[in-house]
Amino acid sequence: MASILDEYEDSQNTRQSVQQHSRLSTANIGITHSGFVNVRLEEEKPIFNKQRIDFTPPEKINHLAVCSNQLCMSLGKDTLLRIDLAKPDQPNQIELGRKDESKVHKLFLDPTGSHLLISLSTSECLYLNRNTQKVRSLSRWRGHLIESVGWNKLLGSETNTGPILVGTSQGIIFEAEISATEGSLFNTNPDQYFRQVHSLEEDGKPAPVCCLEVERGLENKYFIIATTRKRLFQFVGKVAEGSEQQGFSSIFSQNQDLLPSFQEFPANMGYSEITFYTSKLRTSPKAFAWMMGNGVLYGQLDYVRPDSLLSDVQVWEYTADIDLSINKPISIVLTQFHFLLLLHDRVKAICTLNGQVVYEDVFPDKFGALKKMIKDPVGGLVWIYTERAVFRYHVQREARDVWQMYMSMNKFDLAKEYCRDRPECMDMVLAKEAEHCFQNKRYLESAKCYALTQNYFEEIALKFIEAKQEEALKEFLLKKLNNLKQSERTQITLLVTWLAELYLNRLGQLESDGNSIIFQETREEFRHFLSNPKHKECLFNNRSTIYDLLASHGNVDDMVYFSVVMQDYERVISHYCQHDDYSAALDVLSKHCDQKLFYKFSPVLMQHIPKKVVDAWIQMGKRLDPKKLIPALMNYSQMGSTQQISETIRYMEFCVYELTVTEEAIHNYLLSLYAKYKPESLLWYLEQAGTHASEIHYDLKYALRLCAEHGYLQACVLVYRIMELYEEAVDLALQVDVDLAKSCADLPEDDEELRKKLWLKIARHVVQEEKDVKKAMNCLSSCDLLKIEDILPFFPDFVTIDHFKEAICSSLEEYNQHIEELKQEMEEATESAKRIREDIQEMRNKYGVVDSQEKCAACDFPLLNRPFYLFLCGHMFHYDCLFQEVTPHLTTYRQSRLEELQKKLAATTQSSKSRHRPVPKDEGDTASLGKGSGGTSREQIKSDIDDIIASECVYCGELMIKSIDKPFIDPQKFEEEKSSWL
């Protein structure tokens, strides 16, 4: 690596360049009041960072070429050194094998780094491919001193160069092609062909072709740039698609009839050099720089222009320290924003944006004079060499300070483009742009830029106020407001209030001036501001302030609009009601469907537009609570017009019949309206409301009192019937109609005594009040509970029996028929008892035959070995087997009962055994006395046991059906049973 002394010198040069760069930066920046603080945590590296290569050549370095990380250098007289920069520790040294006095004139390396051309001073040319060690002579090229090569970037490959252009010292341009593959037996030369296509002149004499560049544009259009010492030539032409392999001769033939386009400068320093900048690999160059006698011509390359490839051309004249007679520039390299000039002892970097020297690096004398500077177009590194040392420059973040230069040139869009990721620089550019626009009286643009900066808000606002630019101030405040975060509530509140005041001032001014068009545009803008959802929270929290501002300016229309935006419909409706625009108020209510507002404003609206209000209520349907509308309805139904009353009834009917409201207050109110204003509907309402108290939704007592007050007797009867006050209903119905009373008397169907009492009331009324014997007889036929003897006391003494003859005869016939029916029932009962006795006797004599080979259905052992049971179904069980089968299926109570009977049976058995033992004579009578009672008790116990376990077959009876959902193995004994099977 580099020695300690070299590193010290490099650091000194770096420090000087950084200091010079910082002086330049501070000189260009004069903007203050930014909200950003520029703090650098570490010293920023320079754009051009030099590094000496740790390489000591064995001989003097004559020439050097580098491309695609392939470095080739000519050492001494006959040595060529090749280094793959990806493997720098594996250099490749080749001897040219020249024994004459020829020297290497120039080296040319193609863009792929595969093809190396070695131009010798003896007008010969050698070729070396990257994949071979053999240097081959190009025989067709002999006799020409090669000065420049224009490589074919489109068709070049590792084994073939494709058609290329070659410039000589005599001004001749040749077209050639080189192939690295071995030729045929008769053609072993790598050069496929070598033919002249053009020649260049200066002042009527041949001039050396210093540089050649071939570029392809759009639509197969090719551009060829060739330079001599004072001239820059351009050749433009199209190559037919598919014929690119045929070369460039057609392009030069297209320009033979016309003089080639060129630019010429008077000064001549004996040579010139052109360099290009390509932003991305395998793309066309974007800019150029041509070093010639009068300075450096640089600009952009425009492939669209038909006449010339060069655009935005400028000339940088050499500074005073560059004397062409003593200190000529040697080489030039172009980067994105700089070109580097190589002098014999230093390197200068000039910015292409402003032509200023931004970097200068002086090399110490110990390395010797600088010979050449080359840029690797692929790697981007810049290489410089002397006879004894090689240096390279890393170009780092070249665009870091470009924004300052664009800013100083007032090219603010470009300045912002190059500081997008640096907010502190962007802030300075925006501040400078805003100030520039303000000075040029472009106030709206200035406001937009100021709003994006971190400059003091008060200072900027005062600038616009002093300049009386309210529109610009408004624009500034709007932009500032949009850039604020939601958490900055205080700032948002300030700006929103200020903007509202500015809008209102502007609207008032335009209205007084009579400018209707601008007034409407401004109003729409103001309303858009009020309805902006981004500011909705702030406007809502400060709506009282906005209302005060709107009221102070007398802006009623916008106040209504703002109320709608804030969903403050109460204020809107109040406004319409105050101005007697009730229809508009109802429209707002209907549109937004706010129940609370309906309850609040319905009384006022009902007074003026009852039909529309009721229509709106009906449209709202179940969203409104009718009970909360009753106070307003009752108020205006009492003191209002006929229309209000009829609309009230219409809405109540809608609630009851359409919405099926069941609240008692609603039904009571409708009932009162019917009683007062629409009696013809009262009875129909009561009838359809239901006949049972559980179906009724109105207050029965209230309905009864209401009907009684208005004298609707039939309605009262109906209410009494529902209340099941049948006596009162019949009493009141007799005042209206006897048939109505009869219908009431039949209602208590389950209470015959009450029915009879009610019919007696009707009969008494008919006999005593109406004195109609025929009707009284009809009562007997209508009610089967009344007999002639029940109504006889109601008749006067003078009534003859002829009126009752038929009734009395009918009554006697009924008695006789009843007696006959009783006789028939007694005979049938006697016959049934006789049959039952016969069935019992038959069952006692029934028996079954059991074979000696029969087995128990449970244990499969012979049946006759032990006591057993025989069932009608044919199943037979031992007593103990049946006991075991039945017991698990019994209920807990019956199991305990069975255990108790078992114990009693065992006790009686024990006592029976004791009686069979010999006893004293005097005790024999006592024992014999207890035999009968003990035997009876034992038989009874056995009978009870049989009733429990043998009431039905365990396999065919109800016990088996009930056990269908029980498991075969008791869950408590499942594990035990399971283990027994293992």
Side-chain angles (χ1 to χ4, degrees):
M1 297 300 293
S3 65
I4 298 177
L5 180 60
D6 295 337
E7 292 179 357
Y8 173 75
E9 291 176 350
D10 290 345
S11 64
Q12 288 293 102
N13 294 332
T14 300
R15 187 176 294 108
Q16 291 174 6
S17 63
V18 169
Q19 292 174 355
Q20 181 178 357
H21 180 266
S22 63
R23 287 196 299 271
L24 176 64
S25 300
T26 54
N28 289 336
I29 305 302
I31 301 172
T32 58
H33 307 303
S34 174
F36 290 96
V37 179
N38 189 9
V39 178
R40 294 183 180 178
L41 299 180
E42 59 183 11
E43 190 175 281
E44 195 170 29
K45 294 182 179 180
I47 296 175
F48 304 102
N49 186 20
K50 184 179 72 174
Q51 180 186 9
R52 183 189 172 192
I53 304 302
D54 187 13
F55 170 72
T56 303
E59 298 180 75
K60 292 182 179 180
I61 301 174
N62 299 322
H63 294 279
L64 184 144
V66 61
C67 198
S68 295
N69 282 336
Q70 299 296 319
L71 187 145
C72 301
M73 62 176 69
S74 171
L75 303 177
K77 177 183 177 182
D78 201 41
T79 303
L80 186 69
L81 185 65
R82 296 189 299 182
I83 300 175
D84 185 352
L85 297 178
K87 304 173 183 177
D89 54 343
Q90 300 176 12
N92 181 19
Q93 185 171 323
I94 299 173
E95 300 297 329
L96 298 180
R98 304 293 296 186
K99 298 182 180 180
D100 52 13
E101 296 298 324
S102 62
K103 297 180 180 179
V104 175
H105 177 60
K106 283 187 178 180
L107 296 178
F108 304 99
L109 189 62
D110 81 310
T112 65
S114 301
H115 308 284
L116 177 66
L117 294 177
I118 307 166
S119 175
L120 302 179
S121 59
T122 56
S123 299
E124 294 181 78
C125 192
L126 305 177
Y127 170 72
L128 178 64
N129 189 270
R130 181 171 64 181
N131 299 324
T132 64
Q133 299 287 326
K134 182 179 179 181
V135 179
R136 306 170 71 183
S137 175
L138 303 177
S139 59
R140 291 187 176 91
W141 297 38
R142 191 170 292 133
H144 300 283
L145 182 62
I146 307 303
E147 293 286 347
S148 58
V149 176
W151 297 102
N152 193 325
K153 301 175 185 175
L154 181 65
L155 300 177
S157 65
E158 291 187 0
T159 59
N160 193 290
T161 62
I164 60 174
L165 295 178
V166 179
T168 69
S169 59
Q170 297 300 315
I172 304 175
I173 299 177
F174 290 90
E175 184 182 57
E177 184 175 358
I178 302 173
S179 176
T181 57
E182 293 292 337
S184 64
L185 181 63
F186 302 101
N187 183 19
T188 59
N189 294 329
D191 49 336
Q192 302 298 305
Y193 62 87
F194 189 75
R195 58 174 176 260
Q196 180 178 346
V197 292
H198 199 72
S199 61
L200 302 180
E201 294 182 352
E202 279 183 1
D203 302 328
K205 298 179 182 179
V209 183
C210 299
C211 294
L212 278 172
E213 182 74 16
V214 180
E215 294 297 338
R216 181 185 177 185
L218 301 175
E219 300 176 354
N220 286 341
K221 196 174 184 181
Y222 278 82
F223 300 87
I224 299 174
I225 295 177
T227 63
T228 60
R229 293 165 297 189
K230 299 192 300 180
R231 290 183 177 182
L232 187 150
F233 294 86
Q234 298 182 63
F235 301 91
V236 182
K238 285 189 176 181
V239 175
E241 188 173 355
S243 62
E244 291 87 352
Q245 196 67 39
Q246 297 177 7
F248 307 106
S249 57
S250 60
I251 298 175
F252 291 100
S253 63
Q254 294 174 21
N255 292 270
Q256 281 185 355
D257 297 336
L258 303 173
L259 291 175
S261 173
F262 67 88
Q263 288 183 322
E264 184 176 8
F265 288 87
N268 183 358
M269 62 177 184
Y271 56 89
S272 70
E273 184 176 342
I274 191 167
T275 180
F276 298 89
Y277 168 72
T278 303
S279 59
K280 295 181 181 178
L281 190 63
R282 299 188 182 278
T283 59
S284 300
K286 303 296 182 185
F288 77 98
W290 179 36
M291 181 187 72
M292 40 77 183
N294 288 88
V296 177
L297 179 72
Y298 63 94
Q300 304 298 315
L301 297 179
D302 188 354
Y303 297 92
V304 180
R305 292 179 59 182
D307 54 342
S308 176
L309 182 63
L310 312 180
S311 66
D312 299 333
V313 176
Q314 300 180 60
V315 176
W316 180 79
E317 296 181 358
Y318 296 126
T319 55
D321 59 337
I322 300 177
D323 188 354
L324 296 183
S325 60
I326 304 173
N327 186 19
K328 292 181 182 181
I330 303 170
S331 292
I332 186 169
V333 163
L334 181 64
T335 63
Q336 186 178 5
F337 296 105
H338 303 85
F339 60 82
L340 279 69
L341 275 180
L342 180 69
L343 304 175
H344 72 283
D345 63 344
R346 69 189 61 199
V347 173
K348 283 190 175 186
I350 296 91
C351 179
T352 57
L353 299 178
N354 55 14
Q356 299 294 320
V357 178
V358 297
Y359 175 79
E360 187 169 354
D361 189 8
V362 180
F363 286 74
D365 296 335
K366 66 175 184 175
F367 299 120
L370 302 179
K371 299 194 68 173
K372 192 75 172 177
M373 178 169 59
I374 310 102
K375 180 185 177 185
D376 183 353
V378 178
L381 297 176
V382 178
W383 297 80
I384 297 176
Y385 66 93
T386 68
E387 291 182 346
R388 297 188 295 273
V390 179
F391 302 88
R392 67 182 176 190
Y393 281 93
H394 289 270
V395 183
Q396 298 177 333
R397 295 180 60 231
E398 186 181 1
R400 71 180 71 164
D401 297 322
V402 170
W403 64 273
Q404 299 182 21
M405 300 172 192
Y406 279 129
M407 183 177 68
S408 62
M409 298 162 62
N410 293 335
K411 295 182 179 180
F412 300 109
D413 291 338
L414 291 172
K416 287 184 280 190
E417 185 70 26
Y418 286 99
C419 61
R420 287 187 180 277
D421 55 345
R422 299 172 67 184
E424 71 281 1
C425 302
M426 179 69 78
D427 188 72
M428 297 170 72
V429 174
L430 289 169
K432 181 69 180 296
E433 183 181 5
E435 186 65 29
H436 176 76
C437 294
F438 190 89
Q439 291 176 358
N440 289 276
K441 298 185 178 180
R442 290 154 46 199
Y443 296 110
L444 287 177
E445 297 177 31
S446 175
K448 292 177 183 178
C449 293
Y450 268 132
L452 299 174
T453 67
Q454 298 293 323
N455 289 24
Y456 296 138
F457 173 83
E458 301 85 349
E459 179 183 340
I460 300 169
L462 286 173
K463 286 184 71 170
F464 289 117
I465 292 173
E466 291 173 356
K468 297 181 180 180
Q469 296 296 323
E470 287 193 2
E471 284 297 313
L473 176 61
K474 183 180 68 177
E475 187 68 27
F476 169 69
L477 296 179
L478 283 171
K479 293 291 183 183
K480 206 71 177 176
L481 179 61
N482 290 331
N483 293 335
L484 290 177
K485 299 178 182 177
Q486 290 296 327
S487 58
E488 299 173 313
R489 297 184 178 180
T490 305
Q491 294 87 332
I492 292 175
T493 303
L494 171 66
L495 294 182
V496 167
T497 309
W498 195 353
L499 281 166
E501 178 68 25
L502 289 175
Y503 272 117
L504 290 171
N505 288 337
R506 180 64 174 163
L507 287 172
Q509 183 181 356
L510 292 172
E511 189 176 13
S512 61
D513 294 343
N515 196 333
S516 59
I517 298 176
I518 302 178
F519 175 78
Q520 287 299 329
E521 292 176 355
T522 307
R523 167 166 281 181
E524 288 300 321
E525 185 181 345
F526 178 46
R527 291 188 173 184
H528 177 72
F529 168 74
L530 292 177
S531 60
N532 192 330
K534 190 175 181 181
H535 317 138
K536 184 174 182 179
E537 182 181 358
C538 175
L539 287 168
F540 182 80
N541 294 334
N542 299 277
R543 59 187 183 278
S544 58
T545 304
I546 305 298
Y547 282 133
D548 292 342
L549 285 174
L550 291 165
S552 64
H553 286 79
N555 196 330
V556 178
D557 294 337
D558 289 322
M559 180 185 292
V560 172
Y561 178 83
F562 180 67
S563 302
V564 173
V565 171
M566 292 291 104
Q567 298 182 356
D568 191 1
Y569 304 119
E570 182 176 352
R571 187 182 292 269
V572 178
I573 298 169
S574 298
H575 168 77
Y576 285 133
C577 290
Q578 290 171 3
H579 291 78
D580 297 336
D581 193 355
Y582 302 105
S583 297
L586 184 60
D587 289 341
V588 175
L589 267 178
S590 303
K591 183 177 180 181
H592 300 287
C593 304
D594 190 335
Q595 294 93 330
K596 293 182 180 179
L597 296 180
F598 264 105
Y599 302 144
K600 181 174 183 178
F601 290 99
S602 288
V604 178
L605 298 176
M606 189 68 184
Q607 185 178 7
H608 297 89
I609 48 172
K611 187 177 185 307
K612 291 183 179 180
V613 173
V614 171
D615 290 341
W617 289 349
I618 292 174
Q619 189 176 3
M620 287 287 290
K622 292 186 177 182
R623 286 175 288 180
L624 288 179
D625 184 0
K627 189 167 62 175
K628 296 183 179 180
L629 297 171
I630 287 179
L633 293 173
M634 292 185 67
N635 183 26
Y636 294 112
S637 65
Q638 293 174 4
M639 55 182 292
S641 64
T642 304
Q643 184 186 10
Q644 293 170 353
I645 294 170
S646 62
E647 293 300 326
T648 301
I649 295 175
R650 182 164 73 96
Y651 180 65
M652 288 291 102
E653 288 177 341
F654 169 77
C655 294
V656 171
Y657 303 132
E658 298 294 333
L659 301 183
T660 62
V661 175
T662 59
E663 292 185 7
E664 187 178 274
I666 301 299
H667 286 263
N668 287 345
Y669 184 45
L670 179 60
L671 197 64
S672 67
L673 290 174
Y674 280 153
K676 292 179 183 178
Y677 305 108
K678 200 175 180 180
E680 65 274 10
S681 301
L682 176 62
L683 192 60
W684 178 83
Y685 166 76
L686 293 174
E687 289 174 350
Q688 63 85 33
T691 57
H692 296 283
S694 59
E695 303 173 354
I696 302 303
H697 301 301
Y698 56 84
D699 187 346
L700 289 169
K701 294 180 180 179
Y702 173 74
L704 183 62
R705 186 176 71 250
L706 194 66
C707 295
E709 287 178 357
H710 292 83
Y712 302 135
L713 298 182
Q714 192 171 354
C716 290
V717 172
L718 189 57
V719 176
Y720 275 133
R721 288 170 58 177
I722 297 171
M723 297 174 69
E724 298 183 356
L725 300 175
Y726 301 116
E727 292 189 37
E728 290 82 352
V730 170
D731 291 340
L732 195 59
L734 290 175
Q735 300 179 24
V736 180
D737 185 17
V738 174
D739 292 336
L740 180 62
K742 289 180 180 180
S743 64
C744 296
D746 281 333
L747 290 177
E749 297 177 354
D750 299 332
D751 192 346
E752 292 186 354
E753 184 178 352
L754 179 59
R755 281 181 60 203
K756 185 175 182 179
K757 182 178 180 181
L758 296 177
W759 277 102
L760 286 174
K761 282 191 174 189
I762 296 172
R764 176 182 293 175
H765 174 79
V766 171
V767 174
Q768 295 180 353
E769 299 296 331
E770 298 186 5
K771 296 181 173 55
D772 191 340
V773 177
K774 191 174 182 180
K775 279 188 178 181
M777 294 300 101
N778 289 336
C779 290
L780 288 177
S781 61
S782 299
C783 180
D784 55 352
L785 299 177
L786 291 182
K787 306 298 180 184
I788 185 63
E789 59 268 25
D790 295 327
I791 64 172
L792 283 176
F794 300 147
F795 289 94
D797 297 337
F798 56 85
V799 177
T800 61
I801 197 171
D802 294 337
H803 295 89
F804 311 108
K805 183 177 179 180
E806 294 181 1
I808 293 172
C809 291
S810 176
S811 178
L812 292 174
E813 289 176 359
E814 289 180 4
Y815 284 138
N816 289 332
Q817 185 178 358
H818 185 59
I819 291 170
E820 290 297 328
E821 290 177 355
L822 290 175
K823 287 181 179 180
Q824 183 69 24
E825 290 177 1
M826 290 173 64
E827 290 176 358
E828 291 177 355
T830 303
E831 185 68 22
S832 297
K834 181 179 177 182
R835 290 177 181 175
I836 291 171
R837 284 194 295 271
E838 291 175 354
D839 290 342
I840 292 172
Q841 187 63 32
E842 184 180 354
M843 288 297 294
R844 286 178 179 174
N845 297 329
K846 198 168 185 179
Y847 64 92
V849 178
V850 178
D851 196 339
S852 61
Q853 296 179 354
E854 292 290 346
K855 296 181 180 181
C856 175
C859 65
D860 205 28
F861 281 97
L863 184 69
L864 299 178
N865 290 347
R866 298 196 300 274
F868 63 89
Y869 287 95
L870 171 64
F871 292 96
L872 294 176
C873 61
H875 287 116
M876 292 169 279
F877 300 91
H878 288 130
Y879 169 80
D880 53 345
C881 292
L882 181 64
F883 188 90
Q884 291 178 359
E885 289 286 336
V886 173
T887 302
H889 299 286
L890 296 178
T891 61
T892 306
Y893 169 74
R894 301 198 72 177
Q895 286 182 1
S896 60
R897 172 65 177 160
L898 187 60
E899 290 178 3
E900 182 183 350
L901 292 173
Q902 286 281 90
K903 291 178 182 179
K904 287 183 178 181
L905 181 62
T908 56
T909 304
Q910 186 70 26
S911 63
S912 176
K913 289 179 179 181
S914 64
R915 284 196 298 272
H916 286 84
R917 292 197 306 266
V919 293
K921 187 176 181 179
D922 54 351
E923 293 181 4
D925 295 338
T926 306
S928 60
L929 289 173
K931 183 178 180 180
S933 61
T936 304
S937 176
R938 177 182 172 81
E939 293 298 328
Q940 182 64 39
I941 293 171
K942 291 180 68 176
S943 177
D944 292 342
I945 292 174
D946 290 345
D947 289 340
I948 294 176
I949 66 173
S951 61
E952 59 181 353
C953 176
V954 68
Y955 286 172
C956 303
E958 188 178 354
L959 286 178
M960 182 59 65
I961 296 173
K962 289 182 178 180
S963 65
I964 195 170
D965 59 342
K966 293 184 179 180
F968 292 109
I969 301 174
D970 189 353
Q972 297 179 356
K973 300 179 180 179
F974 178 78
E975 293 297 330
E976 180 182 352
E977 186 72 21
K978 179 181 177 183
S979 60
S980 66
W981 283 76
L982 298 177

